[in-house]
Amino acid sequence: MTTPTPTTDNKILTSAIETYRHYAGQPTLSDIESCHQDSNDEILHLTPYFSTMDLVKLENLTYTRSFTYSLKTRQLLFTSNVTTINKNIVRRLVSPDGKYLALVTKEMKGEQELNYVQIWHDEHLIFGYEVSDSKISPHGKVLPKNDYASFFEWSPDSRRLIFTAEEKRKPFKSYFTAEKLDDLGESFSTYRENWGEQMETLETCVVCVFDVDTKQVKLIENHPKDLYFGQCTWTTNQDEVILVAFPLEPYRLGLIFCENRSSAFFKCNWRTNEWIQLTEFDKICRLFPRHLPKTDNQFVYLQSDINGAHKQCQRLILFNTQTKEEKILIDRVDNVKYSNVNTDPFTAEWDTQFKGLYLPLPHLCYSCDGRYLLLRSVSGSRNVLYIYDFTEQKMILLDSPLGVDTSINGLAIFGHYVAVNIVDCRTPYRFYIYDLKTLNKTDKDNNGWHLIVQHEFKKEEKNQVVWNIDRFFPDNETIPVESIYVHTRDTQAKRPLMVLIHGGPNSVISLDYYVGVVAYIGLGFDLLIVNYRGSLGFGQASIDKLLGNISKTDVGDCHEAIQRCLKYTEPSRPVVLIGGSHAGVIIGRLIGEYPDEYAVAVLRNPVTDLLHVYATSDIPDWAIAQSTNAQFDFETGRNLFMDTALITYLIERSSIRLIDQVKTPVLLHLGKKDRRVPYSIGLRYYECLKARKIPTKLYVYDSNHSLSEVPNASDIFVNTILFISEHLDLSS
């Protein structure tokens, strides 16, 4: 019996599955649980978190490994086996002294989800309760991890744990079955506001403290009912915390990725239930407070302006809780000056100058003596680290020991060591430790750096992926566009060019390891990653440039970046456009304005109709800020339909307006639970393409805006390859 010859389609499908399986199975370094040194400061004990994809169970898999490292001999003495983290864990946090572990888990009993809280000391479970136990628990479900609207923090002395949870509610009983009116509870049909996209479970919050000494859970009382407390930091007084408050009235806008919302600081004494407001709800957004460990009444935070862009270049502020004085330690950078603005395509060098702060402060960000503060940021198209020295009152670049052709991601400071992950397009992780005691040494060697462990591909596989950077300045201005060209050393001229365009628009695709990028390269594509004006990492002027100019500036930047790449490589190669969210604005305009130049377009939850976004998204302010640079206020809110000039402009700048000019085959992936770019927007675009007999296909997922769950991400990748193969010859 002869074996059937595989068809070309089957070969492509098999290759797509196996290539994705290979790269998705590579571990990445996601965070760090603990790091401490012995009493002689000669041995480090390190436990980082790693992540990988389980494509059998179709889920993300998180695990820890422990490492013992000799600082004296610079050798790794011990590596533990893998310890997987149960997916039912809602919260997990080791105390600063390493002796306590707080766990929150969830279990299903029938159709009811139950939460369990556990406090471990060494090997012993010293306290535990189920949150529905009315005798012990004063709160509802513990809120899941969210950088904006929930917290779960040990005090510096490891004696108390503060956290946010849902407000305890009476179970609903029917009007007709309740024995007493007091038993009714709130109606099941009552509308409850939440914080929008990916934060639907975050409706109400109460703040609670677990006290190790008394083994009791206390609900902090006198909580202002018109406010939501989403971030927290302990002060040097172990009875006090600093909290970030968001107003609940008159209604809420989406919060995730929106660092321009009105907020204020409160100080709270959890023993006396006293709340003191420290700042007003003014024109400033205040986020990520971190109290100085060795100084009373002072903390730092990141500040940006409300309204405008959702992400901005931020100011680092020192706040005094007694005087309420705010001192700028690091101001935002408006304009960046470049020494060479006239380079040929893909001959630019990575620029190392400081371009501002753009990323949240790590939770563990201070050295043990309180002198140094760890700052993560973006500089152009790469991630960078800085150390702020409180003694010298200056900022110091902590650059990668492997040079500017890599990105350095800060994890935490433990003692006087910085834990970092150094990555690039072909390396998922390199776990390094840096000794801050060597920071101010005059010699330039790398003795302060200690490599703990790194990922190793096969040498031939690792060396085949290379990248170059292009930087150019459109419109004779001083604000650049950067793009990273990722390809193989033996690139053939006719390999299709896949162009990745990020959403936001105020975000960035930095030099990093992306499963999709290396997998697409493995399947025969070259990649162009474009950071157009409006991206993070280029100063506030770049972000402001796009306000009122979306669908113009960003579209022109991306088209020019693509043309430069084609000129640098091979002008006749086919081009595939891929991106989501705001990239829908750009890609929709590109295939409408240049209908003969792009071979395939792949869109995830795309913004194709700005008027529809304004009317239905959880962030209506985004549509008017990016389109007209107008400010949002809650009174007029979505009620601007009398402003015919605004409505006309939103329609004119929408990519769906050009749909009669589109010839490019379009693949769409939509999430039914998307609140940022509601599902109906992409569905209408799909129907219009179908009506015009443009080759198109739609996949729908029971997911939100990100579509990032493993079943969705893996399905999207394979379906993308199959769709492209229908319209391009990928068999060679």
Side-chain angles (χ1 to χ4, degrees), residues 178-379:
E179 294 181 3
K180 297 183 297 184
L181 292 180
D182 290 344
D183 294 340
L184 283 174
E186 187 176 65
S187 171
F188 70 92
S189 58
T190 300
Y191 174 67
R192 303 183 68 89
E193 280 195 68
N194 56 54
W195 288 110
E197 170 65 27
Q198 297 177 49
M199 297 174 67
E200 289 85 353
T201 60
L202 302 171
E203 299 174 353
T204 61
C205 84
V206 292
V207 183
C208 300
V209 173
F210 169 73
D211 190 333
V212 170
D213 298 328
T214 63
K215 303 291 190 300
Q216 290 182 333
V217 184
K218 172 184 166 61
L219 174 70
I220 305 179
E221 299 174 356
N222 300 330
H223 180 297
K225 294 301 182 182
D226 59 342
L227 300 176
Y228 185 105
F229 292 92
Q231 298 178 355
C232 175
T233 183
W234 288 90
T235 72
T236 52
N237 178 347
Q238 299 304 319
D239 293 346
E240 291 182 344
V241 290
I242 304 297
L243 302 114
V244 176
F246 299 100
L248 295 176
E249 298 297 335
Y251 53 87
R252 306 185 217 186
L253 300 179
L255 187 55
I256 194 169
F257 310 131
C258 301
E259 297 174 5
N260 66 338
R261 300 294 184 230
S262 180
S263 62
F265 288 127
F266 280 70
K267 182 169 69 172
C268 174
N269 186 304
W270 64 271
R271 289 192 188 275
T272 64
N273 302 307
E274 181 184 18
W275 299 76
I276 299 173
Q277 186 168 346
L278 298 176
T279 66
E280 299 299 321
F281 289 96
D282 47 22
K283 297 294 184 181
I284 297 297
C285 177
R286 300 172 172 87
L287 295 174
F288 313 115
R290 304 289 186 262
H291 203 281
L292 274 66
K294 299 291 183 178
T295 307
D296 295 339
N297 306 312
Q298 292 190 61
F299 64 91
V300 298
Y301 75 92
L302 293 178
Q303 180 191 97
S304 53
D305 300 334
I306 68 167
N307 295 314
H310 278 170
K311 282 182 173 283
Q312 304 171 17
C313 186
Q314 298 166 314
R315 309 170 188 91
L316 179 69
I317 304 294
L318 180 66
F319 189 94
N320 187 301
T321 58
Q322 285 190 323
T323 64
K324 298 185 181 180
E325 177 189 2
E326 294 186 307
K327 176 183 178 182
I328 298 176
L329 299 181
I330 300 172
D331 208 346
R332 78 177 189 182
V333 174
D334 288 313
N335 296 286
V336 179
K337 294 182 179 179
Y338 293 83
S339 58
N340 189 348
V341 297
N342 295 308
T343 57
D344 293 329
F346 298 96
T347 59
E349 297 181 356
W350 295 95
D351 190 86
T352 59
Q353 63 184 307
F354 178 64
K355 301 181 181 69
L357 299 175
Y358 302 92
L359 300 180
L361 297 172
H363 282 286
L364 300 173
C365 57
Y366 290 107
S367 58
C368 56
D369 59 3
R371 176 175 178 176
Y372 298 118
L373 170 69
L374 180 65
L375 300 169
R376 302 182 290 200
S377 194
V378 183
S379 179

Side-chain angles (χ1 to χ4, degrees), residues 407-454:
S407 276
I408 178 168
N409 300 318
L411 302 174
I413 292 183
F414 294 86
H416 56 87
Y417 298 100
V418 183
V420 306
N421 182 23
I422 299 177
V423 294
D424 55 44
C425 294
R426 63 191 179 203
T427 310
Y429 71 86
R430 302 179 185 93
F431 183 34
Y432 273 84
I433 296 293
Y434 179 76
D435 187 351
L436 286 169
K437 289 184 176 179
T438 67
L439 186 63
N440 290 309
K441 287 189 175 180
T442 55
D443 55 351
K444 299 299 181 182
D445 61 31
N446 286 326
N447 284 336
W449 287 101
H450 299 266
L451 173 62
I452 308 303
V453 64
Q454 65 179 329

Side-chain angles (χ1 to χ4, degrees), residues 126-176:
I126 63 170
F127 187 75
Y129 63 96
E130 197 268 299
V131 297
S132 63
D133 185 342
S134 58
K135 294 181 180 179
I136 299 176
S137 173
H139 58 82
K141 292 178 183 177
V142 176
L143 295 181
K145 178 176 171 56
N146 184 280
D147 290 339
Y148 296 94
S150 72
F151 50 84
F152 193 75
E153 301 287 339
W154 280 104
S155 60
D157 65 357
S158 302
R159 306 308 296 170
R160 285 143 202 104
L161 177 76
I162 191 167
F163 59 92
T164 43
E166 292 179 358
E167 190 175 22
K168 202 176 233 354
R169 303 173 191 164
K170 285 184 179 180
F172 169 74
K173 292 186 179 181
S174 167
Y175 293 125
F176 305 100

